[in-house]
mmCIF file with all atom_site columns, all heavy atoms in Angstrom:
data_model
loop_
_atom_site.group_PDB
_atom_site.id
_atom_site.type_symbol
_atom_site.label_atom_id
_atom_site.label_alt_id
_atom_site.label_comp_id
_atom_site.label_asym_id
_atom_site.label_entity_id
_atom_site.label_seq_id
_atom_site.pdbx_PDB_ins_code
_atom_site.Cartn_x
_atom_site.Cartn_y
_atom_site.Cartn_z
_atom_site.occupancy
_atom_site.B_iso_or_equiv
_atom_site.pdbx_formal_charge
_atom_site.auth_seq_id
_atom_site.auth_comp_id
_atom_site.auth_asym_id
_atom_site.auth_atom_id
_atom_site.pdbx_PDB_model_num
ATOM 1   N N   . SER A 1 1  ? -2.862  -4.280  11.723 1.00 0.00 ? 19 SER A N   1
ATOM 2   C CA  . SER A 1 1  ? -3.183  -4.832  10.406 1.00 0.00 ? 19 SER A CA  1
ATOM 3   C C   . SER A 1 1  ? -4.657  -4.625  10.060 1.00 0.00 ? 19 SER A C   1
ATOM 4   O O   . SER A 1 1  ? -5.512  -4.590  10.945 1.00 0.00 ? 19 SER A O   1
ATOM 5   C CB  . SER A 1 1  ? -2.885  -6.329  10.373 1.00 0.00 ? 19 SER A CB  1
ATOM 6   O OG  . SER A 1 1  ? -1.524  -6.567  10.624 1.00 0.00 ? 19 SER A OG  1
ATOM 7   N N   . LEU A 1 2  ? -4.903  -4.516  8.785  1.00 0.00 ? 20 LEU A N   1
ATOM 8   C CA  . LEU A 1 2  ? -6.284  -4.423  8.295  1.00 0.00 ? 20 LEU A CA  1
ATOM 9   C C   . LEU A 1 2  ? -6.812  -5.834  8.074  1.00 0.00 ? 20 LEU A C   1
ATOM 10  O O   . LEU A 1 2  ? -6.039  -6.753  7.783  1.00 0.00 ? 20 LEU A O   1
ATOM 11  C CB  . LEU A 1 2  ? -6.330  -3.671  6.972  1.00 0.00 ? 20 LEU A CB  1
ATOM 12  C CG  . LEU A 1 2  ? -5.965  -2.196  6.997  1.00 0.00 ? 20 LEU A CG  1
ATOM 13  C CD1 . LEU A 1 2  ? -5.888  -1.664  5.582  1.00 0.00 ? 20 LEU A CD1 1
ATOM 14  C CD2 . LEU A 1 2  ? -6.984  -1.424  7.789  1.00 0.00 ? 20 LEU A CD2 1
ATOM 15  N N   . PRO A 1 3  ? -8.105  -6.029  8.164  1.00 0.00 ? 21 PRO A N   1
ATOM 16  C CA  . PRO A 1 3  ? -8.658  -7.347  7.811  1.00 0.00 ? 21 PRO A CA  1
ATOM 17  C C   . PRO A 1 3  ? -8.509  -7.584  6.313  1.00 0.00 ? 21 PRO A C   1
ATOM 18  O O   . PRO A 1 3  ? -8.461  -6.636  5.514  1.00 0.00 ? 21 PRO A O   1
ATOM 19  C CB  . PRO A 1 3  ? -10.114 -7.255  8.217  1.00 0.00 ? 21 PRO A CB  1
ATOM 20  C CG  . PRO A 1 3  ? -10.413 -5.800  8.268  1.00 0.00 ? 21 PRO A CG  1
ATOM 21  C CD  . PRO A 1 3  ? -9.132  -5.101  8.600  1.00 0.00 ? 21 PRO A CD  1
ATOM 22  N N   . VAL A 1 4  ? -8.442  -8.823  5.902  1.00 0.00 ? 22 VAL A N   1
ATOM 23  C CA  . VAL A 1 4  ? -8.306  -9.173  4.483  1.00 0.00 ? 22 VAL A CA  1
ATOM 24  C C   . VAL A 1 4  ? -9.454  -8.556  3.678  1.00 0.00 ? 22 VAL A C   1
ATOM 25  O O   . VAL A 1 4  ? -9.248  -8.081  2.562  1.00 0.00 ? 22 VAL A O   1
ATOM 26  C CB  . VAL A 1 4  ? -8.277  -10.692 4.307  1.00 0.00 ? 22 VAL A CB  1
ATOM 27  C CG1 . VAL A 1 4  ? -8.284  -11.073 2.831  1.00 0.00 ? 22 VAL A CG1 1
ATOM 28  C CG2 . VAL A 1 4  ? -7.062  -11.290 4.989  1.00 0.00 ? 22 VAL A CG2 1
ATOM 29  N N   . SER A 1 5  ? -10.625 -8.484  4.259  1.00 0.00 ? 23 SER A N   1
ATOM 30  C CA  . SER A 1 5  ? -11.778 -7.928  3.556  1.00 0.00 ? 23 SER A CA  1
ATOM 31  C C   . SER A 1 5  ? -11.570 -6.467  3.131  1.00 0.00 ? 23 SER A C   1
ATOM 32  O O   . SER A 1 5  ? -12.191 -5.988  2.192  1.00 0.00 ? 23 SER A O   1
ATOM 33  C CB  . SER A 1 5  ? -13.038 -8.062  4.406  1.00 0.00 ? 23 SER A CB  1
ATOM 34  O OG  . SER A 1 5  ? -12.870 -7.356  5.622  1.00 0.00 ? 23 SER A OG  1
ATOM 35  N N   . ALA A 1 6  ? -10.689 -5.752  3.823  1.00 0.00 ? 24 ALA A N   1
ATOM 36  C CA  . ALA A 1 6  ? -10.424 -4.347  3.488  1.00 0.00 ? 24 ALA A CA  1
ATOM 37  C C   . ALA A 1 6  ? -9.806  -4.219  2.098  1.00 0.00 ? 24 ALA A C   1
ATOM 38  O O   . ALA A 1 6  ? -9.901  -3.165  1.465  1.00 0.00 ? 24 ALA A O   1
ATOM 39  C CB  . ALA A 1 6  ? -9.511  -3.702  4.540  1.00 0.00 ? 24 ALA A CB  1
ATOM 40  N N   . LEU A 1 7  ? -9.176  -5.300  1.615  1.00 0.00 ? 25 LEU A N   1
ATOM 41  C CA  . LEU A 1 7  ? -8.559  -5.254  0.294  1.00 0.00 ? 25 LEU A CA  1
ATOM 42  C C   . LEU A 1 7  ? -9.575  -5.192  -0.830 1.00 0.00 ? 25 LEU A C   1
ATOM 43  O O   . LEU A 1 7  ? -9.211  -5.003  -1.989 1.00 0.00 ? 25 LEU A O   1
ATOM 44  C CB  . LEU A 1 7  ? -7.621  -6.458  0.110  1.00 0.00 ? 25 LEU A CB  1
ATOM 45  C CG  . LEU A 1 7  ? -6.391  -6.445  1.015  1.00 0.00 ? 25 LEU A CG  1
ATOM 46  C CD1 . LEU A 1 7  ? -5.653  -7.759  0.907  1.00 0.00 ? 25 LEU A CD1 1
ATOM 47  C CD2 . LEU A 1 7  ? -5.481  -5.279  0.696  1.00 0.00 ? 25 LEU A CD2 1
ATOM 48  N N   . ALA A 1 8  ? -10.841 -5.346  -0.530 1.00 0.00 ? 26 ALA A N   1
ATOM 49  C CA  . ALA A 1 8  ? -11.879 -5.196  -1.542 1.00 0.00 ? 26 ALA A CA  1
ATOM 50  C C   . ALA A 1 8  ? -12.095 -3.723  -1.894 1.00 0.00 ? 26 ALA A C   1
ATOM 51  O O   . ALA A 1 8  ? -12.661 -3.410  -2.946 1.00 0.00 ? 26 ALA A O   1
ATOM 52  C CB  . ALA A 1 8  ? -13.177 -5.800  -1.042 1.00 0.00 ? 26 ALA A CB  1
ATOM 53  N N   . ASP A 1 9  ? -11.615 -2.820  -1.039 1.00 0.00 ? 27 ASP A N   1
ATOM 54  C CA  . ASP A 1 9  ? -11.741 -1.383  -1.260 1.00 0.00 ? 27 ASP A CA  1
ATOM 55  C C   . ASP A 1 9  ? -10.611 -0.913  -2.172 1.00 0.00 ? 27 ASP A C   1
ATOM 56  O O   . ASP A 1 9  ? -9.432  -1.120  -1.898 1.00 0.00 ? 27 ASP A O   1
ATOM 57  C CB  . ASP A 1 9  ? -11.671 -0.649  0.100  1.00 0.00 ? 27 ASP A CB  1
ATOM 58  C CG  . ASP A 1 9  ? -11.808 0.842   -0.029 1.00 0.00 ? 27 ASP A CG  1
ATOM 59  O OD1 . ASP A 1 9  ? -11.944 1.369   -1.130 1.00 0.00 ? 27 ASP A OD1 1
ATOM 60  O OD2 . ASP A 1 9  ? -11.777 1.511   1.041  1.00 0.00 ? 27 ASP A OD2 1
ATOM 61  N N   . ALA A 1 10 ? -10.962 -0.268  -3.294 1.00 0.00 ? 28 ALA A N   1
ATOM 62  C CA  . ALA A 1 10 ? -9.964  0.177   -4.274 1.00 0.00 ? 28 ALA A CA  1
ATOM 63  C C   . ALA A 1 10 ? -8.955  1.154   -3.665 1.00 0.00 ? 28 ALA A C   1
ATOM 64  O O   . ALA A 1 10 ? -7.776  1.127   -4.032 1.00 0.00 ? 28 ALA A O   1
ATOM 65  C CB  . ALA A 1 10 ? -10.659 0.808   -5.464 1.00 0.00 ? 28 ALA A CB  1
ATOM 66  N N   . ASP A 1 11 ? -9.404  2.026   -2.759 1.00 0.00 ? 29 ASP A N   1
ATOM 67  C CA  . ASP A 1 11 ? -8.485  2.977   -2.143 1.00 0.00 ? 29 ASP A CA  1
ATOM 68  C C   . ASP A 1 11 ? -7.411  2.266   -1.316 1.00 0.00 ? 29 ASP A C   1
ATOM 69  O O   . ASP A 1 11 ? -6.236  2.643   -1.316 1.00 0.00 ? 29 ASP A O   1
ATOM 70  C CB  . ASP A 1 11 ? -9.246  3.964   -1.247 1.00 0.00 ? 29 ASP A CB  1
ATOM 71  C CG  . ASP A 1 11 ? -10.104 4.929   -2.066 1.00 0.00 ? 29 ASP A CG  1
ATOM 72  O OD1 . ASP A 1 11 ? -9.785  5.154   -3.258 1.00 0.00 ? 29 ASP A OD1 1
ATOM 73  O OD2 . ASP A 1 11 ? -11.082 5.446   -1.515 1.00 0.00 ? 29 ASP A OD2 1
ATOM 74  N N   . VAL A 1 12 ? -7.830  1.234   -0.594 1.00 0.00 ? 30 VAL A N   1
ATOM 75  C CA  . VAL A 1 12 ? -6.869  0.455   0.210  1.00 0.00 ? 30 VAL A CA  1
ATOM 76  C C   . VAL A 1 12 ? -5.869  -0.247  -0.701 1.00 0.00 ? 30 VAL A C   1
ATOM 77  O O   . VAL A 1 12 ? -4.659  -0.248  -0.438 1.00 0.00 ? 30 VAL A O   1
ATOM 78  C CB  . VAL A 1 12 ? -7.604  -0.570  1.106  1.00 0.00 ? 30 VAL A CB  1
ATOM 79  C CG1 . VAL A 1 12 ? -6.638  -1.490  1.809  1.00 0.00 ? 30 VAL A CG1 1
ATOM 80  C CG2 . VAL A 1 12 ? -8.475  0.164   2.128  1.00 0.00 ? 30 VAL A CG2 1
ATOM 81  N N   . LEU A 1 13 ? -6.356  -0.817  -1.798 1.00 0.00 ? 31 LEU A N   1
ATOM 82  C CA  . LEU A 1 13 ? -5.490  -1.479  -2.758 1.00 0.00 ? 31 LEU A CA  1
ATOM 83  C C   . LEU A 1 13 ? -4.482  -0.503  -3.363 1.00 0.00 ? 31 LEU A C   1
ATOM 84  O O   . LEU A 1 13 ? -3.298  -0.830  -3.486 1.00 0.00 ? 31 LEU A O   1
ATOM 85  C CB  . LEU A 1 13 ? -6.296  -2.124  -3.892 1.00 0.00 ? 31 LEU A CB  1
ATOM 86  C CG  . LEU A 1 13 ? -6.876  -3.491  -3.624 1.00 0.00 ? 31 LEU A CG  1
ATOM 87  C CD1 . LEU A 1 13 ? -7.696  -3.959  -4.811 1.00 0.00 ? 31 LEU A CD1 1
ATOM 88  C CD2 . LEU A 1 13 ? -5.793  -4.496  -3.306 1.00 0.00 ? 31 LEU A CD2 1
ATOM 89  N N   . CYS A 1 14 ? -4.939  0.673   -3.723 1.00 0.00 ? 32 CYS A N   1
ATOM 90  C CA  . CYS A 1 14 ? -4.037  1.672   -4.305 1.00 0.00 ? 32 CYS A CA  1
ATOM 91  C C   . CYS A 1 14 ? -2.972  2.107   -3.306 1.00 0.00 ? 32 CYS A C   1
ATOM 92  O O   . CYS A 1 14 ? -1.812  2.262   -3.667 1.00 0.00 ? 32 CYS A O   1
ATOM 93  C CB  . CYS A 1 14 ? -4.830  2.887   -4.822 1.00 0.00 ? 32 CYS A CB  1
ATOM 94  S SG  . CYS A 1 14 ? -5.738  2.527   -6.330 1.00 0.00 ? 32 CYS A SG  1
ATOM 95  N N   . ARG A 1 15 ? -3.383  2.276   -2.048 1.00 0.00 ? 33 ARG A N   1
ATOM 96  C CA  . ARG A 1 15 ? -2.385  2.627   -1.004 1.00 0.00 ? 33 ARG A CA  1
ATOM 97  C C   . ARG A 1 15 ? -1.372  1.517   -0.846 1.00 0.00 ? 33 ARG A C   1
ATOM 98  O O   . ARG A 1 15 ? -0.183  1.765   -0.676 1.00 0.00 ? 33 ARG A O   1
ATOM 99  C CB  . ARG A 1 15 ? -3.081  2.931   0.315  1.00 0.00 ? 33 ARG A CB  1
ATOM 100 C CG  . ARG A 1 15 ? -3.724  4.297   0.379  1.00 0.00 ? 33 ARG A CG  1
ATOM 101 C CD  . ARG A 1 15 ? -4.050  4.767   1.792  1.00 0.00 ? 33 ARG A CD  1
ATOM 102 N NE  . ARG A 1 15 ? -4.416  3.747   2.733  1.00 0.00 ? 33 ARG A NE  1
ATOM 103 C CZ  . ARG A 1 15 ? -5.650  3.448   3.135  1.00 0.00 ? 33 ARG A CZ  1
ATOM 104 N NH1 . ARG A 1 15 ? -6.665  4.136   2.657  1.00 0.00 ? 33 ARG A NH1 1
ATOM 105 N NH2 . ARG A 1 15 ? -5.889  2.509   4.013  1.00 0.00 ? 33 ARG A NH2 1
ATOM 106 N N   . ALA A 1 16 ? -1.834  0.266   -0.891 1.00 0.00 ? 34 ALA A N   1
ATOM 107 C CA  . ALA A 1 16 ? -0.914  -0.878  -0.770 1.00 0.00 ? 34 ALA A CA  1
ATOM 108 C C   . ALA A 1 16 ? 0.056   -0.913  -1.952 1.00 0.00 ? 34 ALA A C   1
ATOM 109 O O   . ALA A 1 16 ? 1.253   -1.113  -1.775 1.00 0.00 ? 34 ALA A O   1
ATOM 110 C CB  . ALA A 1 16 ? -1.700  -2.177  -0.681 1.00 0.00 ? 34 ALA A CB  1
ATOM 111 N N   . LEU A 1 17 ? -0.456  -0.703  -3.150 1.00 0.00 ? 35 LEU A N   1
ATOM 112 C CA  . LEU A 1 17 ? 0.399   -0.713  -4.335 1.00 0.00 ? 35 LEU A CA  1
ATOM 113 C C   . LEU A 1 17 ? 1.404   0.445   -4.307 1.00 0.00 ? 35 LEU A C   1
ATOM 114 O O   . LEU A 1 17 ? 2.567   0.284   -4.666 1.00 0.00 ? 35 LEU A O   1
ATOM 115 C CB  . LEU A 1 17 ? -0.450  -0.656  -5.593 1.00 0.00 ? 35 LEU A CB  1
ATOM 116 C CG  . LEU A 1 17 ? -1.275  -1.927  -5.870 1.00 0.00 ? 35 LEU A CG  1
ATOM 117 C CD1 . LEU A 1 17 ? -2.283  -1.670  -6.983 1.00 0.00 ? 35 LEU A CD1 1
ATOM 118 C CD2 . LEU A 1 17 ? -0.381  -3.090  -6.221 1.00 0.00 ? 35 LEU A CD2 1
ATOM 119 N N   . ASP A 1 18 ? 0.942   1.619   -3.834 1.00 0.00 ? 36 ASP A N   1
ATOM 120 C CA  . ASP A 1 18 ? 1.855   2.766   -3.714 1.00 0.00 ? 36 ASP A CA  1
ATOM 121 C C   . ASP A 1 18 ? 2.963   2.460   -2.710 1.00 0.00 ? 36 ASP A C   1
ATOM 122 O O   . ASP A 1 18 ? 4.122   2.821   -2.921 1.00 0.00 ? 36 ASP A O   1
ATOM 123 C CB  . ASP A 1 18 ? 1.088   4.027   -3.291 1.00 0.00 ? 36 ASP A CB  1
ATOM 124 C CG  . ASP A 1 18 ? 0.222   4.589   -4.396 1.00 0.00 ? 36 ASP A CG  1
ATOM 125 O OD1 . ASP A 1 18 ? 0.451   4.252   -5.579 1.00 0.00 ? 36 ASP A OD1 1
ATOM 126 O OD2 . ASP A 1 18 ? -0.687  5.381   -4.074 1.00 0.00 ? 36 ASP A OD2 1
ATOM 127 N N   . ALA A 1 19 ? 2.612   1.786   -1.617 1.00 0.00 ? 37 ALA A N   1
ATOM 128 C CA  . ALA A 1 19 ? 3.603   1.443   -0.600 1.00 0.00 ? 37 ALA A CA  1
ATOM 129 C C   . ALA A 1 19 ? 4.642   0.473   -1.141 1.00 0.00 ? 37 ALA A C   1
ATOM 130 O O   . ALA A 1 19 ? 5.825   0.527   -0.756 1.00 0.00 ? 37 ALA A O   1
ATOM 131 C CB  . ALA A 1 19 ? 2.917   0.843   0.624  1.00 0.00 ? 37 ALA A CB  1
ATOM 132 N N   . MET A 1 20 ? 4.243   -0.375  -2.058 1.00 0.00 ? 38 MET A N   1
ATOM 133 C CA  . MET A 1 20 ? 5.180   -1.330  -2.655 1.00 0.00 ? 38 MET A CA  1
ATOM 134 C C   . MET A 1 20 ? 6.207   -0.654  -3.544 1.00 0.00 ? 38 MET A C   1
ATOM 135 O O   . MET A 1 20 ? 7.225   -1.238  -3.889 1.00 0.00 ? 38 MET A O   1
ATOM 136 C CB  . MET A 1 20 ? 4.420   -2.370  -3.480 1.00 0.00 ? 38 MET A CB  1
ATOM 137 C CG  . MET A 1 20 ? 3.661   -3.331  -2.633 1.00 0.00 ? 38 MET A CG  1
ATOM 138 S SD  . MET A 1 20 ? 2.783   -4.476  -3.718 1.00 0.00 ? 38 MET A SD  1
ATOM 139 C CE  . MET A 1 20 ? 1.323   -4.740  -2.732 1.00 0.00 ? 38 MET A CE  1
ATOM 140 N N   . CYS A 1 21 ? 5.936   0.575   -3.925 1.00 0.00 ? 39 CYS A N   1
ATOM 141 C CA  . CYS A 1 21 ? 6.855   1.328   -4.797 1.00 0.00 ? 39 CYS A CA  1
ATOM 142 C C   . CYS A 1 21 ? 7.850   2.147   -3.990 1.00 0.00 ? 39 CYS A C   1
ATOM 143 O O   . CYS A 1 21 ? 8.592   2.945   -4.546 1.00 0.00 ? 39 CYS A O   1
ATOM 144 C CB  . CYS A 1 21 ? 6.051   2.244   -5.703 1.00 0.00 ? 39 CYS A CB  1
ATOM 145 S SG  . CYS A 1 21 ? 5.042   1.332   -6.866 1.00 0.00 ? 39 CYS A SG  1
ATOM 146 N N   . ARG A 1 22 ? 7.828   1.982   -2.676 1.00 0.00 ? 40 ARG A N   1
ATOM 147 C CA  . ARG A 1 22 ? 8.731   2.750   -1.808 1.00 0.00 ? 40 ARG A CA  1
ATOM 148 C C   . ARG A 1 22 ? 9.610   1.783   -0.993 1.00 0.00 ? 40 ARG A C   1
ATOM 149 O O   . ARG A 1 22 ? 9.197   0.699   -0.632 1.00 0.00 ? 40 ARG A O   1
ATOM 150 C CB  . ARG A 1 22 ? 7.926   3.589   -0.828 1.00 0.00 ? 40 ARG A CB  1
ATOM 151 C CG  . ARG A 1 22 ? 7.069   4.578   -1.502 1.00 0.00 ? 40 ARG A CG  1
ATOM 152 C CD  . ARG A 1 22 ? 7.609   5.980   -1.307 1.00 0.00 ? 40 ARG A CD  1
ATOM 153 N NE  . ARG A 1 22 ? 7.049   6.873   -2.287 1.00 0.00 ? 40 ARG A NE  1
ATOM 154 C CZ  . ARG A 1 22 ? 7.784   7.576   -3.127 1.00 0.00 ? 40 ARG A CZ  1
ATOM 155 N NH1 . ARG A 1 22 ? 9.066   7.483   -3.099 1.00 0.00 ? 40 ARG A NH1 1
ATOM 156 N NH2 . ARG A 1 22 ? 7.236   8.376   -3.989 1.00 0.00 ? 40 ARG A NH2 1
ATOM 157 N N   . LYS A 1 23 ? 10.812  2.242   -0.724 1.00 0.00 ? 41 LYS A N   1
ATOM 158 C CA  . LYS A 1 23 ? 11.694  1.482   0.169  1.00 0.00 ? 41 LYS A CA  1
ATOM 159 C C   . LYS A 1 23 ? 11.339  1.879   1.605  1.00 0.00 ? 41 LYS A C   1
ATOM 160 O O   . LYS A 1 23 ? 10.553  2.794   1.833  1.00 0.00 ? 41 LYS A O   1
ATOM 161 C CB  . LYS A 1 23 ? 13.163  1.843   -0.116 1.00 0.00 ? 41 LYS A CB  1
ATOM 162 C CG  . LYS A 1 23 ? 13.605  1.431   -1.532 1.00 0.00 ? 41 LYS A CG  1
ATOM 163 C CD  . LYS A 1 23 ? 15.084  1.571   -1.744 1.00 0.00 ? 41 LYS A CD  1
ATOM 164 C CE  . LYS A 1 23 ? 15.485  3.023   -1.892 1.00 0.00 ? 41 LYS A CE  1
ATOM 165 N NZ  . LYS A 1 23 ? 16.888  3.200   -2.263 1.00 0.00 ? 41 LYS A NZ  1
ATOM 166 N N   . LEU A 1 24 ? 11.922  1.187   2.576  1.00 0.00 ? 42 LEU A N   1
ATOM 167 C CA  . LEU A 1 24 ? 11.621  1.466   3.979  1.00 0.00 ? 42 LEU A CA  1
ATOM 168 C C   . LEU A 1 24 ? 11.995  2.893   4.373  1.00 0.00 ? 42 LEU A C   1
ATOM 169 O O   . LEU A 1 24 ? 11.366  3.466   5.269  1.00 0.00 ? 42 LEU A O   1
ATOM 170 C CB  . LEU A 1 24 ? 12.326  0.452   4.882  1.00 0.00 ? 42 LEU A CB  1
ATOM 171 C CG  . LEU A 1 24 ? 11.781  -0.977  4.831  1.00 0.00 ? 42 LEU A CG  1
ATOM 172 C CD1 . LEU A 1 24 ? 12.609  -1.884  5.695  1.00 0.00 ? 42 LEU A CD1 1
ATOM 173 C CD2 . LEU A 1 24 ? 10.328  -1.001  5.240  1.00 0.00 ? 42 LEU A CD2 1
ATOM 174 N N   . ASP A 1 25 ? 13.001  3.465   3.713  1.00 0.00 ? 43 ASP A N   1
ATOM 175 C CA  . ASP A 1 25 ? 13.395  4.844   4.043  1.00 0.00 ? 43 ASP A CA  1
ATOM 176 C C   . ASP A 1 25 ? 12.499  5.887   3.374  1.00 0.00 ? 43 ASP A C   1
ATOM 177 O O   . ASP A 1 25 ? 12.714  7.087   3.503  1.00 0.00 ? 43 ASP A O   1
ATOM 178 C CB  . ASP A 1 25 ? 14.867  5.079   3.704  1.00 0.00 ? 43 ASP A CB  1
ATOM 179 C CG  . ASP A 1 25 ? 15.171  4.945   2.218  1.00 0.00 ? 43 ASP A CG  1
ATOM 180 O OD1 . ASP A 1 25 ? 14.242  4.772   1.391  1.00 0.00 ? 43 ASP A OD1 1
ATOM 181 O OD2 . ASP A 1 25 ? 16.371  5.014   1.857  1.00 0.00 ? 43 ASP A OD2 1
ATOM 182 N N   . GLY A 1 26 ? 11.497  5.441   2.600  1.00 0.00 ? 44 GLY A N   1
ATOM 183 C CA  . GLY A 1 26 ? 10.556  6.344   1.956  1.00 0.00 ? 44 GLY A CA  1
ATOM 184 C C   . GLY A 1 26 ? 10.942  6.761   0.547  1.00 0.00 ? 44 GLY A C   1
ATOM 185 O O   . GLY A 1 26 ? 10.139  7.354   -0.171 1.00 0.00 ? 44 GLY A O   1
ATOM 186 N N   . LYS A 1 27 ? 12.154  6.418   0.117  1.00 0.00 ? 45 LYS A N   1
ATOM 187 C CA  . LYS A 1 27 ? 12.592  6.749   -1.242 1.00 0.00 ? 45 LYS A CA  1
ATOM 188 C C   . LYS A 1 27 ? 11.938  5.785   -2.232 1.00 0.00 ? 45 LYS A C   1
ATOM 189 O O   . LYS A 1 27 ? 11.514  4.706   -1.865 1.00 0.00 ? 45 LYS A O   1
ATOM 190 C CB  . LYS A 1 27 ? 14.108  6.656   -1.347 1.00 0.00 ? 45 LYS A CB  1
ATOM 191 C CG  . LYS A 1 27 ? 14.836  7.702   -0.509 1.00 0.00 ? 45 LYS A CG  1
ATOM 192 C CD  . LYS A 1 27 ? 16.322  7.535   -0.660 1.00 0.00 ? 45 LYS A CD  1
ATOM 193 C CE  . LYS A 1 27 ? 17.055  8.528   0.234  1.00 0.00 ? 45 LYS A CE  1
ATOM 194 N NZ  . LYS A 1 27 ? 18.496  8.312   0.209  1.00 0.00 ? 45 LYS A NZ  1
ATOM 195 N N   . ALA A 1 28 ? 11.882  6.212   -3.485 1.00 0.00 ? 46 ALA A N   1
ATOM 196 C CA  . ALA A 1 28 ? 11.280  5.381   -4.521 1.00 0.00 ? 46 ALA A CA  1
ATOM 197 C C   . ALA A 1 28 ? 12.123  4.119   -4.743 1.00 0.00 ? 46 ALA A C   1
ATOM 198 O O   . ALA A 1 28 ? 13.350  4.188   -4.788 1.00 0.00 ? 46 ALA A O   1
ATOM 199 C CB  . ALA A 1 28 ? 11.184  6.160   -5.819 1.00 0.00 ? 46 ALA A CB  1
ATOM 200 N N   . ALA A 1 29 ? 11.453  2.980   -4.844 1.00 0.00 ? 47 ALA A N   1
ATOM 201 C CA  . ALA A 1 29 ? 12.112  1.734   -5.158 1.00 0.00 ? 47 ALA A CA  1
ATOM 202 C C   . ALA A 1 29 ? 12.304  1.639   -6.675 1.00 0.00 ? 47 ALA A C   1
ATOM 203 O O   . ALA A 1 29 ? 11.631  2.338   -7.434 1.00 0.00 ? 47 ALA A O   1
ATOM 204 C CB  . ALA A 1 29 ? 11.276  0.560   -4.656 1.00 0.00 ? 47 ALA A CB  1
#
């Protein structure tokens, strides 16, 4: 896991948001 402070980085936030748009199998949600 990343520390909570890493969420201050825009790149980390964008990666997190992109991950939320995918299912566990990698297909688009």
Side-chain angles (χ1 to χ4, degrees):
S19 299
L20 294 172
V22 174
S23 60
L25 294 172
D27 181 359
D29 291 336
V30 173
L31 276 177
C32 287
R33 283 197 327 258
L35 291 169
D36 288 342
M38 289 179 214
C39 295
R40 299 252 161 238
K41 296 189 286 186
L42 290 177
D43 63 6
K45 294 180 183 174

